[in-house]
Coordinates of all heavy atoms in Angstrom, one line a residue:
M1 N 115.2 87.4 269.5 CA 114.5 86.1 269.5 C 115.3 85.1 270.2 O 116.5 84.9 269.9 CB 114.1 85.7 268.1 CG 113.1 84.6 268.0 SD 113.8 82.9 267.9 CE 115.0 83.0 266.6
F2 N 114.7 84.3 271.1 CA 115.4 83.2 271.8 C 114.6 82.0 271.6 O 113.4 82.0 271.5 CB 115.4 83.5 273.3 CG 116.2 84.8 273.6 CD1 115.7 86.0 273.6 CD2 117.6 84.6 273.9 CE1 116.4 87.1 273.9 CE2 118.3 85.7 274.2 CZ 117.7 87.0 274.2
T3 N 115.3 80.8 271.5 CA 114.6 79.6 271.3 C 114.8 78.7 272.6 O 115.9 78.6 273.1 CB 115.2 78.8 270.1 OG1 115.1 79.6 269.0 CG2 114.5 77.5 269.9
I4 N 113.7 78.2 273.1 CA 113.8 77.4 274.3 C 114.6 76.1 274.1 O 115.3 75.7 275.0 CB 112.4 77.1 274.8 CG1 111.8 78.3 275.5 CG2 112.3 75.9 275.8 CD1 110.4 78.2 276.1
N5 N 114.4 75.5 273.0 CA 115.0 74.1 272.7 C 116.4 74.2 272.1 O 116.7 73.5 271.2 CB 114.0 73.3 271.9 CG 112.6 73.3 272.4 OD1 111.8 74.1 272.1 ND2 112.3 72.3 273.3
G6 N 117.2 75.1 272.6 CA 118.5 75.2 272.0 C 119.6 74.6 272.8 O 119.5 74.4 274.0
W7 N 120.7 74.2 272.2 CA 121.8 73.6 272.9 C 122.5 74.6 273.9 O 122.7 75.7 273.5 CB 122.9 73.1 272.0 CG 124.0 72.4 272.7 CD1 124.1 71.1 273.1 CD2 125.2 73.0 273.1 NE1 125.2 70.9 273.7 CE2 126.0 72.1 273.8 CE3 125.7 74.3 273.0 CZ2 127.2 72.3 274.3 CZ3 127.0 74.6 273.5 CH2 127.7 73.6 274.2
G8 N 122.8 74.2 275.1 CA 123.5 75.0 276.1 C 122.5 75.9 276.8 O 123.0 76.6 277.7
N9 N 121.3 76.0 276.4 CA 120.3 76.9 277.1 C 119.5 76.0 278.1 O 119.2 74.9 277.8 CB 119.4 77.5 276.2 CG 120.1 78.4 275.2 OD1 121.1 78.9 275.4 ND2 119.5 78.6 274.0
N10 N 119.2 76.5 279.2 CA 118.4 75.9 280.2 C 117.2 76.8 280.4 O 117.2 77.6 281.3 CB 119.1 75.6 281.5 CG 118.3 74.9 282.5 OD1 117.2 74.4 282.2 ND2 118.7 74.8 283.8
V11 N 116.2 76.6 279.5 CA 115.0 77.5 279.6 C 113.8 76.6 279.5 O 113.7 75.7 278.7 CB 115.0 78.5 278.4 CG1 113.8 79.3 278.4 CG2 116.2 79.3 278.4
Y12 N 112.8 76.8 280.4 CA 111.6 75.9 280.4 C 110.4 76.7 281.0 O 110.6 77.7 281.7 CB 111.9 74.7 281.3 CG 112.3 74.9 282.7 CD1 111.3 75.0 283.7 CD2 113.6 75.2 283.0 CE1 111.7 75.3 285.0 CE2 113.9 75.5 284.3 CZ 113.0 75.5 285.3 OH 113.3 75.8 286.6
F13 N 109.3 76.1 280.7 CA 108.0 76.7 281.3 C 107.9 76.1 282.7 O 107.8 74.9 282.9 CB 106.8 76.2 280.5 CG 106.6 77.0 279.3 CD1 107.0 76.6 278.0 CD2 105.9 78.3 279.3 CE1 106.8 77.4 276.9 CE2 105.7 79.0 278.2 CZ 106.1 78.6 277.0
S14 N 108.0 77.0 283.7 CA 107.9 76.6 285.1 C 106.4 76.5 285.4 O 106.0 75.8 286.4 CB 108.6 77.5 286.0 OG 108.2 78.9 285.8
D15 N 105.5 77.2 284.6 CA 104.1 77.1 284.8 C 103.4 77.5 283.5 O 103.2 78.6 283.1 CB 103.7 78.1 285.9 CG 102.2 78.2 286.2 OD1 101.4 77.5 285.4 OD2 101.8 78.8 287.2
F16 N 103.2 76.4 282.7 CA 102.7 76.7 281.3 C 101.3 77.3 281.3 O 101.1 78.3 280.5 CB 102.6 75.4 280.5 CG 102.2 75.6 279.1 CD1 103.1 76.2 278.2 CD2 101.0 75.3 278.6 CE1 102.8 76.4 276.9 CE2 100.6 75.5 277.3 CZ 101.5 76.1 276.4
K17 N 100.4 76.9 282.2 CA 99.1 77.5 282.3 C 99.1 79.0 282.4 O 98.3 79.7 281.8 CB 98.3 76.8 283.4 CG 96.9 77.3 283.5 CD 96.1 76.7 284.7 CE 94.8 77.2 284.8 NZ 94.1 76.7 286.0
N18 N 100.0 79.5 283.3 CA 100.1 80.9 283.5 C 101.2 81.6 282.7 O 101.6 82.7 283.0 CB 100.3 81.2 285.0 CG 99.1 80.8 285.8 OD1 98.0 81.3 285.5 ND2 99.2 79.9 286.8
R19 N 101.8 80.8 281.8 CA 102.9 81.3 280.9 C 104.0 81.9 281.6 O 104.4 83.1 281.4 CB 102.3 82.3 279.9 CG 101.1 81.8 279.0 CD 101.6 80.5 278.2 NE 100.7 80.2 277.1 CZ 99.8 79.2 277.3 NH1 99.7 78.5 278.4 NH2 99.0 78.9 276.3
K20 N 104.6 81.2 282.5 CA 105.8 81.6 283.3 C 107.0 80.7 282.8 O 106.9 79.5 282.8 CB 105.6 81.4 284.8 CG 104.5 82.4 285.3 CD 104.4 82.4 286.8 CE 103.3 83.3 287.2 NZ 103.6 84.7 287.0
I21 N 108.1 81.4 282.5 CA 109.3 80.8 282.0 C 110.4 81.1 283.0 O 110.6 82.2 283.5 CB 109.7 81.3 280.6 CG1 108.6 80.8 279.6 CG2 111.1 80.8 280.2 CD1 108.8 81.3 278.2
T22 N 111.3 80.1 283.2 CA 112.5 80.2 284.0 C 113.6 79.7 283.2 O 113.5 78.8 282.4 CB 112.4 79.3 285.3 OG1 111.2 79.7 286.0 CG2 113.6 79.4 286.1
G23 N 114.8 80.4 283.4 CA 115.9 79.9 282.6 C 117.2 80.5 282.9 O 117.4 81.4 283.7
H24 N 118.2 80.0 282.1 CA 119.6 80.5 282.2 C 120.0 80.8 280.7 O 120.0 79.9 279.9 CB 120.6 79.5 282.8 CG 120.2 79.2 284.2 ND1 120.9 79.8 285.2 CD2 119.4 78.3 284.7 CE1 120.4 79.3 286.4 NE2 119.5 78.4 286.1
L25 N 120.3 82.0 280.4 CA 120.7 82.4 279.1 C 121.7 83.5 279.2 O 121.6 84.4 280.1 CB 119.6 82.9 278.2 CG 118.6 81.9 277.6 CD1 117.5 82.6 276.9 CD2 119.3 80.9 276.7
S26 N 122.6 83.6 278.2 CA 123.5 84.8 278.1 C 123.6 85.1 276.6 O 124.1 84.3 275.8 CB 124.9 84.4 278.7 OG 125.7 85.6 278.6
P27 N 123.1 86.3 276.2 CA 122.5 87.3 277.1 C 121.1 86.9 277.5 O 120.4 86.1 276.8 CB 122.5 88.5 276.1 CG 122.4 88.0 274.8 CD 123.2 86.7 274.8
R28 N 120.6 87.5 278.6 CA 119.3 87.2 279.0 C 118.3 88.0 278.2 O 118.6 89.1 277.7 CB 119.1 87.7 280.5 CG 120.1 86.9 281.4 CD 120.0 87.4 282.8 NE 120.5 88.7 282.9 CZ 120.7 89.4 284.1 NH1 120.4 88.8 285.2 NH2 121.1 90.6 284.1
P29 N 117.1 87.4 278.0 CA 116.0 88.2 277.3 C 115.6 89.4 278.1 O 115.9 89.5 279.3 CB 114.9 87.1 277.2 CG 115.1 86.1 278.2 CD 116.6 86.1 278.5
K30 N 114.9 90.3 277.3 CA 114.4 91.5 278.0 C 112.9 91.7 277.5 O 112.5 91.0 276.6 CB 115.2 92.7 277.6 CG 115.3 93.0 276.1 CD 116.3 94.1 275.9 CE 116.4 94.5 274.4 NZ 116.8 93.4 273.5
V31 N 112.2 92.6 278.2 CA 110.8 92.9 277.9 C 110.7 93.2 276.4 O 111.5 94.0 275.9 CB 110.2 94.0 278.8 CG1 108.9 94.4 278.3 CG2 110.2 93.5 280.2
G32 N 109.8 92.6 275.7 CA 109.6 92.9 274.3 C 110.2 91.8 273.4 O 109.9 91.8 272.2
D33 N 111.1 91.0 273.9 CA 111.8 89.9 273.1 C 110.8 88.8 272.9 O 109.8 88.7 273.6 CB 113.0 89.3 273.9 CG 114.2 90.2 273.7 OD1 114.2 91.1 272.9 OD2 115.2 90.0 274.5
E34 N 111.0 88.1 271.8 CA 110.2 86.9 271.5 C 111.0 85.7 271.8 O 112.2 85.5 271.6 CB 109.9 86.9 270.0 CG 109.1 85.8 269.5 CD 108.8 85.8 268.0 OE1 108.4 86.9 267.5 OE2 108.9 84.8 267.4
I35 N 110.3 84.7 272.5 CA 110.8 83.4 272.8 C 110.0 82.4 272.0 O 108.8 82.5 271.9 CB 110.7 83.1 274.3 CG1 111.6 84.1 275.1 CG2 111.1 81.7 274.6 CD1 111.6 84.0 276.6
R36 N 110.7 81.4 271.4 CA 110.1 80.4 270.6 C 110.3 79.0 271.3 O 111.4 78.8 271.8 CB 110.6 80.4 269.2 CG 110.3 81.6 268.5 CD 110.8 81.6 267.1 NE 110.4 82.9 266.4 CZ 110.8 83.1 265.2 NH1 111.6 82.3 264.5 NH2 110.5 84.3 264.6
S37 N 109.3 78.2 271.2 CA 109.4 76.8 271.8 C 108.7 75.8 270.9 O 107.6 76.1 270.4 CB 108.8 76.8 273.1 OG 108.8 75.5 273.7
K38 N 109.3 74.7 270.7 CA 108.7 73.6 269.9 C 107.6 73.0 270.9 O 107.9 72.6 272.0 CB 109.7 72.5 269.5 CG 109.0 71.5 268.7 CD 110.1 70.5 268.1 CE 109.4 69.5 267.2 NZ 110.4 68.6 266.7
M39 N 106.4 73.0 270.4 CA 105.2 72.5 271.2 C 105.0 71.0 271.0 O 105.5 70.4 270.0 CB 104.0 73.3 270.8 CG 104.2 74.8 270.9 SD 104.9 75.4 272.4 CE 103.4 75.3 273.5
S40 N 104.2 70.4 271.8 CA 104.0 68.9 271.7 C 103.3 68.6 270.4 O 103.4 67.5 269.9 CB 103.2 68.4 272.9 OG 101.9 69.1 273.0
S41 N 102.6 69.6 269.8 CA 101.9 69.4 268.5 C 102.9 69.3 267.3 O 102.6 69.0 266.2 CB 100.9 70.5 268.2 OG 101.7 71.7 268.1
G42 N 104.2 69.7 267.6 CA 105.2 69.8 266.6 C 105.3 71.2 266.0 O 106.3 71.5 265.3
K43 N 104.4 72.1 266.3 CA 104.4 73.5 265.8 C 105.4 74.3 266.7 O 105.7 73.9 267.8 CB 103.0 74.1 265.9 CG 102.0 73.5 264.9 CD 100.7 74.3 265.0 CE 99.7 73.7 264.1 NZ 98.4 74.4 264.1
I44 N 105.8 75.4 266.2 CA 106.7 76.3 267.0 C 105.9 77.4 267.5 O 105.3 78.2 266.8 CB 107.8 76.9 266.1 CG1 108.6 75.8 265.4 CG2 108.7 77.8 266.9 CD1 109.4 74.9 266.3
G45 N 105.7 77.5 268.9 CA 105.0 78.5 269.5 C 105.8 79.8 269.7 O 107.0 79.7 269.9
R46 N 105.2 80.9 269.6 CA 105.9 82.2 269.7 C 105.3 82.9 271.0 O 104.1 83.0 271.1 CB 105.6 83.1 268.5 CG 106.2 82.5 267.2 CD 105.8 83.3 266.0 NE 106.2 84.7 266.1 CZ 105.3 85.7 265.9 NH1 104.1 85.5 265.5 NH2 105.8 86.9 266.1
F47 N 106.2 83.5 271.8 CA 105.8 84.1 273.1 C 106.5 85.4 273.2 O 107.7 85.5 273.0 CB 106.1 83.1 274.2 CG 105.4 81.8 274.1 CD1 106.0 80.8 273.5 CD2 104.1 81.6 274.6 CE1 105.4 79.5 273.3 CE2 103.5 80.4 274.4 CZ 104.2 79.3 273.8
L48 N 105.8 86.4 273.7 CA 106.3 87.8 273.9 C 106.6 87.9 275.4 O 105.7 87.7 276.3 CB 105.3 88.8 273.5 CG 105.7 90.3 273.7 CD1 106.9 90.6 272.8 CD2 104.5 91.2 273.5
V49 N 107.8 88.4 275.7 CA 108.2 88.6 277.1 C 107.5 89.9 277.6 O 107.7 91.0 277.1 CB 109.7 88.8 277.3 CG1 110.1 89.1 278.7 CG2 110.4 87.5 276.8
K50 N 106.7 89.7 278.6 CA 105.9 90.9 279.2 C 106.6 91.5 280.4 O 106.6 92.7 280.6 CB 104.5 90.5 279.5 CG 103.7 90.1 278.3 CD 103.5 91.2 277.3 CE 102.6 92.3 277.8 NZ 102.4 93.4 276.9
E51 N 107.0 90.6 281.3 CA 107.7 91.0 282.6 C 108.8 90.1 282.8 O 108.8 88.9 282.5 CB 106.7 90.9 283.8 CG 105.6 91.9 283.7 CD 104.7 91.8 285.0 OE1 105.2 91.4 286.0 OE2 103.5 92.0 284.8
I52 N 109.9 90.6 283.4 CA 111.1 89.8 283.7 C 111.7 90.2 285.0 O 111.7 91.3 285.3 CB 112.1 89.8 282.5 CG1 113.1 88.7 282.6 CG2 112.7 91.2 282.3 CD1 113.7 88.3 281.3
E53 N 112.2 89.2 285.7 CA 113.0 89.4 286.9 C 114.3 88.7 286.7 O 114.4 87.5 286.4 CB 112.3 88.8 288.1 CG 113.0 88.9 289.4 CD 112.3 88.2 290.5 OE1 111.1 87.9 290.4 OE2 113.0 88.0 291.5
Y54 N 115.4 89.5 286.9 CA 116.8 88.9 286.7 C 117.3 88.5 288.1 O 117.0 89.2 289.1 CB 117.7 89.9 286.1 CG 117.3 90.3 284.7 CD1 117.1 91.7 284.4 CD2 117.2 89.4 283.7 CE1 116.8 92.1 283.2 CE2 116.8 89.8 282.4 CZ 116.6 91.2 282.2 OH 116.3 91.6 280.9
C55 N 118.1 87.5 288.2 CA 118.8 87.1 289.4 C 120.2 87.6 289.4 O 120.8 87.8 288.3 CB 118.8 85.6 289.5 SG 117.2 84.8 289.7
R56 N 120.8 87.8 290.5 CA 122.2 88.2 290.6 C 123.2 87.0 290.7 O 124.3 87.1 290.3 CB 122.4 89.1 291.8 CG 121.8 90.5 291.7 CD 122.5 91.4 292.6 NE 121.5 91.9 293.5 CZ 121.7 92.7 294.5 NH1 122.9 93.1 294.8 NH2 120.7 93.2 295.3
D57 N 122.7 86.0 291.3 CA 123.6 84.8 291.5 C 122.7 83.5 291.3 O 121.9 83.2 292.2 CB 124.2 84.8 292.8 CG 125.3 83.8 293.0 OD1 125.7 83.2 292.0 OD2 125.6 83.5 294.2
P58 N 122.9 82.9 290.2 CA 123.8 83.1 289.1 C 123.2 84.3 288.2 O 122.0 84.4 288.0 CB 123.8 81.8 288.3 CG 122.5 81.2 288.6 CD 122.1 81.6 290.0
N59 N 124.2 85.0 287.6 CA 123.8 86.2 286.9 C 123.1 86.0 285.5 O 122.7 86.9 284.8 CB 124.9 87.2 286.8 CG 126.1 86.7 285.9 OD1 126.0 85.5 285.4 ND2 127.1 87.5 285.8
D60 N 123.1 84.7 285.0 CA 122.4 84.4 283.8 C 121.0 83.9 284.0 O 120.3 83.6 283.0 CB 123.2 83.4 282.9 CG 123.3 82.0 283.6 OD1 123.1 81.9 284.8 OD2 123.7 81.1 282.8
M61 N 120.5 83.8 285.2 CA 119.2 83.3 285.5 C 118.1 84.4 285.5 O 118.4 85.5 285.8 CB 119.2 82.6 286.9 CG 117.9 81.9 287.2 SD 118.1 81.0 288.8 CE 116.6 80.1 288.7
F62 N 117.0 84.0 285.1 CA 115.8 84.9 285.0 C 114.5 84.2 285.2 O 114.4 83.0 285.0 CB 115.8 85.7 283.6 CG 115.6 84.8 282.5 CD1 114.4 84.5 282.0 CD2 116.7 84.2 281.8 CE1 114.2 83.7 280.9 CE2 116.5 83.3 280.8 CZ 115.3 83.1 280.3
F63 N 113.5 84.9 285.5 CA 112.1 84.5 285.6 C 111.3 85.5 284.7 O 111.5 86.7 284.9 CB 111.6 84.5 287.0 CG 112.4 83.7 287.9 CD1 113.4 84.2 288.7 CD2 112.1 82.3 288.1 CE1 114.2 83.5 289.6 CE2 112.9 81.5 289.0 CZ 113.9 82.1 289.7
C64 N 110.4 85.0 283.9 CA 109.6 85.9 283.1 C 108.2 85.4 282.9 O 107.9 84.2 282.9 CB 110.3 86.3 281.8 SG 110.5 85.0 280.6
D65 N 107.3 86.4 282.6 CA 105.9 86.1 282.2 C 105.9 86.4 280.7 O 106.4 87.5 280.3 CB 105.0 87.0 283.0 CG 105.0 86.8 284.5 OD1 105.4 85.7 284.9 OD2 104.5 87.7 285.2
V66 N 105.2 85.6 280.0 CA 105.1 85.7 278.5 C 103.6 85.7 278.1 O 102.8 85.2 278.9 CB 105.9 84.7 277.8 CG1 107.4 84.8 278.1 CG2 105.4 83.3 278.1
E67 N 103.3 86.2 276.9 CA 102.0 86.0 276.4 C 102.1 85.4 275.0 O 103.1 85.5 274.3 CB 101.3 87.4 276.3 CG 101.8 88.3 275.3 CD 100.9 89.6 275.2 OE1 100.5 90.1 276.3 OE2 100.8 90.1 274.1
D68 N 101.1 84.7 274.6 CA 101.1 84.0 273.3 C 101.1 85.0 272.1 O 100.3 86.0 272.1 CB 99.8 83.1 273.2 CG 99.8 82.0 274.2 OD1 100.8 81.8 274.9 OD2 98.8 81.3 274.3
L69 N 101.9 84.6 271.1 CA 101.8 85.4 269.9 C 101.4 84.5 268.7 O 101.3 84.9 267.6 CB 103.3 85.9 269.5 CG 103.8 87.0 270.4 CD1 105.3 87.3 270.0 CD2 103.0 88.2 270.3
G70 N 101.0 83.3 269.0 CA 100.6 82.3 268.0 C 101.7 81.4 267.6 O 102.6 81.1 268.4
Y71 N 101.6 80.8 266.4 CA 102.6 79.9 265.9 C 103.4 80.5 264.8 O 102.9 81.3 264.0 CB 101.9 78.6 265.5 CG 101.2 77.8 266.6 CD1 99.9 77.9 266.8 CD2 102.0 77.1 267.5 CE1 99.3 77.2 267.8 CE2 101.4 76.4 268.5 CZ 100.0 76.4 268.7 OH 99.4 75.8 269.7
L72 N 104.6 80.0 264.6 CA 105.4 80.4 263.5 C 104.8 79.8 262.2 O 104.4 78.7 262.2 CB 106.8 79.7 263.7 CG 107.9 80.2 262.8 CD1 108.2 81.7 263.0 CD2 109.2 79.4 263.1
E73 N 104.7 80.7 261.3 CA 104.0 80.3 260.0 C 105.0 79.6 259.1 O 106.2 79.9 259.1 CB 103.5 81.6 259.3 CG 102.5 82.3 260.0 CD 101.1 81.7 260.0 OE1 100.8 81.0 259.0 OE2 100.4 81.7 261.0

């Protein structure tokens, strides 16, 4: 599980409508991981990594497509 709003992480929705996330993390997420993000409503959104593309330079960068899992209860 990864959290978008964590210190030292640079992870953001590059296209929220199409659920695309871009970021820098170490270790990088992989398909099947869950990413959580505090939403404007104040709730914590849960997202499942469906596809991911890793970059070589910088090696902690990635692009991924996610799908909604709902909110943290």
Side-chain angles (χ1 to χ4, degrees):
M1 189 271 306
F2 296 88
T3 303
I4 286 182
N5 308 90
W7 180 85
N9 299 333
N10 181 11
V11 181
Y12 59 93
F13 280 97
S14 51
D15 181 349
F16 185 75
K17 180 180 177 184
N18 292 305
R19 302 300 193 262
K20 295 189 180 290
I21 292 176
T22 300
H24 297 264
L25 285 174
S26 183
R28 297 176 295 189
K30 59 187 182 301
V31 170
D33 281 346
E34 181 178 315
I35 294 178
R36 295 180 181 177
S37 177
K38 186 172 183 180
M39 308 307 285
S40 59
S41 67
K43 294 181 179 182
I44 305 296
R46 298 172 54 228
F47 303 91
L48 178 69
V49 176
K50 296 300 289 181
E51 294 183 29
I52 194 157
E53 177 186 342
Y54 299 122
C55 296
R56 286 200 243 178
D57 188 15
N59 65 359
D60 66 342
M61 187 174 187
F62 63 91
F63 303 94
C64 65
D65 296 338
V66 296
E67 71 177 36
D68 296 352
L69 291 176
Y71 293 104
L72 190 62
E73 299 284 327

